[in-house]
């Protein structure tokens, strides 16, 4: 049997697989005609370099033993060490983590950070566990993936349902196992452990910066512009606040507890306070609860999906009346929805560009840890804004040059950089 027969292909290679990995494969397919001679190497992007599944046994507070499944996927390391967050979610699967790792490869390359792409996850609902249980689960997971991570190999960071405390436990576990304090093994750490100022806000700030650039491109004045935000965690909450501070009107917000609307503008600070105190936005005063369908169909200048993958699909895309979609989440729009939005004249600023602010400040944190010299918050925000603006300008110009979507343009830039490195390094061993 020839190696090229379908039987020799890995099971995950079909773009018809539903879910985020299928979405990613379709995106790679769309960019391939623009890769020139580098298309020879494109299969590299369609399979992760390394995928690890680990068993996480822990003793729960009630004395019983529970087992959780964890993952760490290194999609590509041609341009530098793997980089990407760790997600705690009850629905996480290996195939989802593969897609998230792959988007990290494209993202770091599209904004020209010297990293590859990786991602991790644990199939767990963190809200059902005590702080002590979460600490034990995080530490055991870190020990299990310890064989493949490291400051020069693969550097985890926060993602959905993980935070600076999670990173502190990961950094401590790795360091104790190594016998040396190794701050650079994770980013998104507490400031007291070598974390970077501005990291917590960085993804939301990046969404805001590219959102302003895209609005200017479309002749939209941010002052008075309507903004709709799906997801009110670290990314959506920060972006909503920054847009409001800039004079925009945040007319609707959705989280796991409610969809709230006020055509005169919601008060983002009250929403943030309410969500902090009650675990969600439901019940915040001066807002009207609306249905999910009505939420997506609101007329708005900016729509920011900042929750999970697969939120804008062929089902709700035809109802969307936004001038610009800025993807704060990873993978929120399916390829079919991309086509519908494009046909309706909605500009989509893709995840690999729009939410790259987080990993950009992670890069700053990693650099600061290596040099043990720390920058001011103003310096970090200034560098972040400059990098996001220039990444936006270069993606927008590639999109114009080839007459393609900004997603395909970001993939042209990202995939070309990865495959150039891949080609010049050569195959070894
Ligand atoms: N989890 C973030 C992302 O999806 C940040 C990853 C990082 O800083 O490495 O981009």
């Amino acid at each position: 049997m020839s190696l090229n027969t379908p039987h020799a292909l890995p099971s995950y290679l079909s773009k018809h697989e539903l879910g985020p990995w299928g979405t990613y494969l379709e995106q790679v397919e769309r960019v391939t005609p623009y890769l020139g001679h580098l298309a020879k190497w494109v299969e590299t992007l369609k399979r992760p370099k390394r995928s690890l599944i680990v068993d996480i046994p822990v003793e729960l507070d009630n004395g019983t033993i529970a087992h959780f499944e964890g993952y760490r996927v290194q999609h590509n390391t041609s341009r530098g060490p793997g980089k990407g967050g760790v997600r705690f979610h009850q629905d996480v699967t290996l195939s989802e983590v593969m897609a998230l790792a792959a988007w990290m490869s494209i993202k770091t390359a599209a904004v020209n950070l010297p990293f590859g792409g990786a991602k991790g996850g644990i199939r767990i609902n963190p809200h059902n566990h005590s702080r002590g249980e979460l600490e034990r689960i995080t530490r055991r997971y870190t020990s299990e993936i310890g064989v493949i991570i490291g400051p020069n190999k693969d550097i985890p960071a926060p993602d959905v349902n993980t935070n600076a405390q999670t990173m502190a436990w990961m950094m401590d576990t790795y360091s104790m196992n190594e016998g040396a304090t190794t701050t650079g093994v994770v980013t998104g750490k507490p400031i007291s452990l070598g974390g970077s100022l501005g990291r917590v806000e960085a993804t939301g700030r990046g969404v805001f910066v590219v959102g302003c650039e895209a609005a200017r491109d479309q002749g939209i004045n941010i002052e008075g512009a309507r903004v709709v935000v799906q997801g009110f965690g670290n990314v959506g909450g920060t972006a909503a606040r920054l847009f409001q501070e800039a004079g925009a009107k945040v007319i609707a917000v959705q989280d796991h507890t409610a969809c709230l609307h006020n055509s005169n503008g919601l008060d983002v600070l009250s929403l943030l306070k309410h969500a902090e105190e009650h675990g969600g936005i439901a019940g915040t005063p001066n807002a009207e609860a609306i249905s999910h369908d009505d939420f997506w169909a609101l007329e708005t200048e900016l729509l920011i999906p900042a929750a999970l993958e697969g939120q804008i699909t062929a089902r709700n895309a035809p109802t969307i009346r936004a001038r610009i979609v800025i993807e704060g989440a990873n993978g929120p729009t399916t390829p079919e929805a991309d086509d519908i939005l494009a046909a309706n004249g909605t500009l989509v600023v893709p995840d690999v560009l729009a939410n790259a602010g987080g990993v950009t400040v992670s890069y700053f944190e990693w650099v600061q840890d290596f040099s043990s010299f720390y920058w001011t918050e103003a310096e970090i925000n200034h560098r972040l804004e400059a990098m996001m603006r220039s990444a936006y300008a270069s993606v927008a110009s590639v999109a114009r040059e080839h007459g393609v979507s900004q997603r395909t343009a970001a993939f042209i830039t990202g995939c070309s950089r990865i495959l150039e490195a891949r080609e010049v390094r050569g195959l070894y061993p």
Side-chain angles (χ1 to χ4, degrees):
M1 190 193 296
S2 135
L3 267 182
N4 289 326
T5 64
H7 303 288
L9 293 177
S11 55
Y12 49 74
L13 211 54
S14 163
K15 70 172 176 169
H16 302 295
E17 164 171 345
L18 296 174
W21 181 247
T23 294
Y24 166 74
L25 290 179
E26 173 71 30
Q27 292 165 347
V28 172
E29 206 98 309
R30 290 181 177 199
V31 77
T32 308
Y34 301 95
L35 296 179
H37 78 281
L38 292 171
K40 169 183 170 189
W41 294 98
V42 78
E43 285 294 310
T44 307
L45 298 171
K46 296 189 191 170
R47 36 192 105 211
K49 173 182 174 59
R50 194 177 278 136
S51 306
L52 182 62
I53 304 179
V54 296
D55 173 42
I56 307 163
V58 284
E59 185 170 345
L60 300 180
D61 295 345
N62 65 10
T64 59
I65 307 293
H67 288 255
F68 299 95
E69 190 165 296
Y71 318 96
R72 185 72 188 171
V73 173
Q74 294 168 351
H75 172 262
N76 189 280
T77 55
S78 293
R79 304 177 60 259
K83 186 85 195 81
V86 174
R87 165 175 303 203
F88 288 180
H89 198 277
Q90 61 275 18
D91 299 328
V92 169
T93 60
L94 175 64
S95 137
E96 179 185 8
V97 175
M98 280 162 47
L100 293 164
W103 283 320
M104 287 308 301
S105 301
I106 310 294
K107 193 187 301 187
T108 55
V111 295
N112 214 4
L113 305 176
F115 289 132
K119 202 86 174 196
I122 304 181
R123 235 174 124 73
I124 186 183
N125 181 346
H127 306 295
N128 292 344
H129 293 278
S130 67
R131 181 185 158 94
E133 288 175 353
L134 287 175
E135 174 172 354
R136 294 195 290 282
I137 293 163
T138 303
R139 287 186 182 278
R140 182 61 187 244
Y141 168 73
T142 308
S143 277
E144 294 297 336
I145 65 164
V147 285
I148 62 167
I149 63 169
N152 292 311
K153 287 158 82 176
D154 178 5
I155 306 119
D159 196 74
V160 175
N161 290 330
T162 55
N163 54 30
Q165 177 62 74
T166 322
M167 294 306 115
W169 290 328
M170 290 190 74
M171 178 276 200
D172 180 67
T173 306
Y174 181 87
S175 298
M176 297 314 282
N177 289 347
E178 287 291 299
T181 293
T182 313
T183 52
V185 66
V186 289
T187 58
K189 297 179 294 293
I191 304 297
S192 56
L193 284 184
S196 178
L197 295 167
R199 174 63 185 86
V200 174
E201 284 195 347
T203 313
R205 184 173 292 280
V207 166
F208 170 70
V209 172
V210 297
C212 291
E213 296 297 295
R216 209 186 41 199
D217 260 4
Q218 300 288 300
I220 296 168
N221 189 352
I222 284 296
E223 207 151 320
R226 290 165 295 184
V227 180
V228 171
V229 184
Q230 186 215 17
F232 206 59
N234 181 35
V235 180
T238 303
R241 181 172 59 72
L242 293 173
F243 275 112
Q244 184 168 76
E245 280 169 15
K249 218 162 49 168
V250 177
I251 59 163
V253 170
Q254 183 199 109
D255 77 353
H256 63 289
T257 62
C259 292
L260 297 183
H261 174 242
N262 183 338
S263 54
N264 296 320
L266 297 160
D267 176 16
V268 175
L269 293 184
S270 310
L271 288 169
L272 287 167
K273 190 158 173 276
H274 192 92
E276 166 100 40
E277 286 165 5
H278 301 91
I281 59 172
T284 310
N286 300 322
E288 165 210 4
I290 56 171
S291 72
H292 284 247
D293 286 347
D294 290 346
F295 172 85
W296 289 112
L298 285 169
E299 189 181 345
T300 181
E301 277 69 47
L302 307 182
L303 170 61
I304 306 175
L308 295 172
E309 307 91 59
Q311 300 299 302
I312 304 181
T313 64
R315 198 187 78 79
N316 58 356
T319 70
I320 285 178
R321 290 183 297 157
R323 299 267 307 274
I324 309 175
V325 170
I326 309 160
E327 296 185 332
N330 291 306
T333 313
T334 65
E336 300 74 37
D338 259 342
D339 293 342
I340 295 166
L341 293 173
N344 291 344
T346 298
L347 171 69
V348 177
V349 185
D351 47 6
V352 291
L353 169 64
N355 71 32
V359 71
T360 300
V361 176
S362 276
Y363 165 58
F364 298 161
E365 179 174 333
W366 184 72
V367 168
Q368 292 172 85
D369 284 337
F370 267 108
S371 56
S372 299
F373 180 78
Y374 292 88
W375 312 347
T376 64
E377 188 160 0
E379 206 170 345
I380 283 159
N381 288 345
H382 177 74
R383 285 181 194 257
L384 169 65
E385 278 168 34
M387 284 185 72
M388 294 301 293
R389 275 209 195 94
S390 108
Y392 179 85
S394 98
V395 167
S397 115
V398 172
R400 276 192 298 271
E401 182 191 330
H402 292 282
V404 295
S405 67
Q406 288 196 358
R407 187 182 318 282
T408 298
F411 268 66
I412 292 175
T413 306
C415 295
S416 301
R417 284 188 179 139
I418 296 167
L419 297 181
E420 260 161 44
R422 213 269 151 278
E423 182 175 64
V424 76
R425 282 179 69 155
L427 289 174
Y428 178 85

